[in-house]
Amino acid sequence: MLLRPQQQLMPPNFPFKTFDLHNDNMPLYTILKYQQKTSVANQVTEVYIWHITECEEQLINIVGEDCLKVIHEIQNVKRRLEWLSTQALLESIRPGFSIKYYPNGKPYLLGLCQEKWYLSISHTGHWLALAISPFPIGIDIEQWSSKPYRISSKFLSANELSLLNESDNPSLYAMNMWTAKEAAFKCFDQIYTKLISDINIAPYPNSSNILIAQGKADSDIGFVSVLPFPKFAMSICTFDPLLPIIS
């Protein structure tokens, strides 16, 4: 039986504070911290959002020249910047930690004492969102566009398309559904749920920004928190509702 969250996950007030995490002036757009409803006090989920304005050379200076061998193998300039920005952010917030991958391709974070953390990464344009958690987590960030609305029939179910057509803002609805399904897909095991179109999204009772995601497997059910920002949409999926930590 699903439990109703005690507190809705709400985006922080604008404008956001920026954080200088590195001598090379790498400002973050915002840092969000949460606890899951059933977690203990020290089990904190952290979400970092970074607006990337640095060039490739600046990112290499942050990461270190040991990365040159890797980036020379990445031919696509966009992918190279995405890889560098992820490594630069990680170096600034978790020095010495490294990104590893499970056989299914899902990333995880390996700590200094060989401890494992759940990790989810998303890029859009010059934005990077990175989530670190002691629990399974998925995150997706997308710049505002009409593309999800144009291709909505490819990833929305018949019932979801009906809700889209009834929506006051179909483009916004499609964007939120896209990020919600992408975040849920990253959170789920991806054994039975193989496509985002395999995921059904339903509204959570009495909540405007929490959705329920159900995949193909009975275990693939998560709570998706949808956060509308001025320049992008973002969704976070976990298996238990997130409660914001107010500092």
Side-chain angles (χ1 to χ4, degrees):
M1 180 177 179
L2 296 177
L3 299 176
R4 178 178 175 181
Q6 306 257 337
Q7 183 177 4
Q8 291 187 22
L9 176 64
M10 299 298 292
N13 294 326
F14 303 110
F16 291 107
K17 179 181 179 182
T18 60
F19 301 81
D20 279 337
L21 296 183
H22 197 278
N23 291 334
D24 290 301
N25 189 28
M26 195 182 90
L28 284 177
Y29 188 58
T30 194
I31 300 174
L32 310 175
K33 294 187 178 183
Y34 308 102
Q35 283 180 279
Q36 293 202 34
K37 187 177 177 182
T38 58
S39 67
V40 297
N42 63 343
Q43 293 180 314
V44 176
T45 292
E46 295 180 334
V47 175
Y48 297 85
I49 307 172
W50 179 21
H51 183 211
I52 306 158
T53 59
E54 290 77 1
C55 66
E56 191 170 301
E57 183 179 356
Q58 289 173 302
L59 294 173
I60 291 172
N61 288 336
I62 298 173
V63 178
E65 293 187 356
D66 290 344
C67 72
L68 291 175
K69 182 179 178 180
V70 175
I71 63 172
H72 286 160
E73 296 176 356
I74 305 174
Q75 301 299 318
N76 185 285
V77 175
K78 179 175 179 291
R79 296 300 181 194
R80 196 159 61 233
L81 286 172
E82 289 178 351
W83 185 88
L84 278 169
S85 61
T86 302
Q87 299 298 320
L89 177 55
L90 186 61
E91 179 63 26
S92 296
I93 62 177
R94 294 288 191 279
F97 282 45
S98 57
I99 299 174
K100 304 294 183 181
Y101 295 89
Y102 290 109
N104 66 356
K106 292 182 69 172
Y108 66 92
L109 199 57
L110 191 65
L112 297 175
C113 298
Q114 301 300 300
E115 73 277 16
K116 293 182 179 180
W117 292 80
Y118 288 96
L119 177 70
S120 188
I121 306 164
S122 183
H123 296 86
T124 182
H126 291 284
W127 295 93
L128 163 63
L130 186 147
I132 302 172
S133 179
F135 307 100
I137 192 166
I139 192 168
D140 189 63
I141 182 172
E142 297 286 345
Q143 285 184 317
W144 291 109
S145 78
S146 60
K147 180 179 177 181
Y149 176 70
R150 296 197 309 268
I151 65 170
S152 56
S153 61
K154 296 183 182 296
F155 69 93
L156 294 181
S157 67
N159 182 61
E160 291 163 352
L161 283 170
S162 177
L163 292 174
L164 178 144
N165 292 329
E166 297 172 4
S167 171
D168 293 334
N169 191 333
S171 184
L172 173 63
Y173 176 90
M175 174 64 82
N176 287 338
M177 292 292 280
W178 175 269
T179 62
K181 292 197 177 197
E182 285 280 357
F185 181 75
K186 293 178 181 180
C187 184
F188 295 163
D189 284 337
Q190 301 174 11
I191 296 174
Y192 299 101
T193 305
K194 298 182 180 299
L195 301 168
I196 67 167
S197 57
D198 291 336
I199 299 169
N200 290 312
I201 300 290
Y204 199 90
N206 302 317
S207 174
S208 61
N209 66 325
I210 298 180
L211 304 170
I212 300 173
Q214 175 69 67
K216 290 289 187 181
D218 291 339
S219 59
D220 285 348
I221 182 167
F223 294 85
V224 183
S225 301
V226 180
L227 290 86
F229 289 83
K231 295 183 181 298
F232 54 82
M234 187 176 80
S235 289
I236 308 168
C237 182
T238 55
F239 290 122
D240 199 35
L242 288 174
L243 304 178
I245 297 173
I246 308 297
S247 58

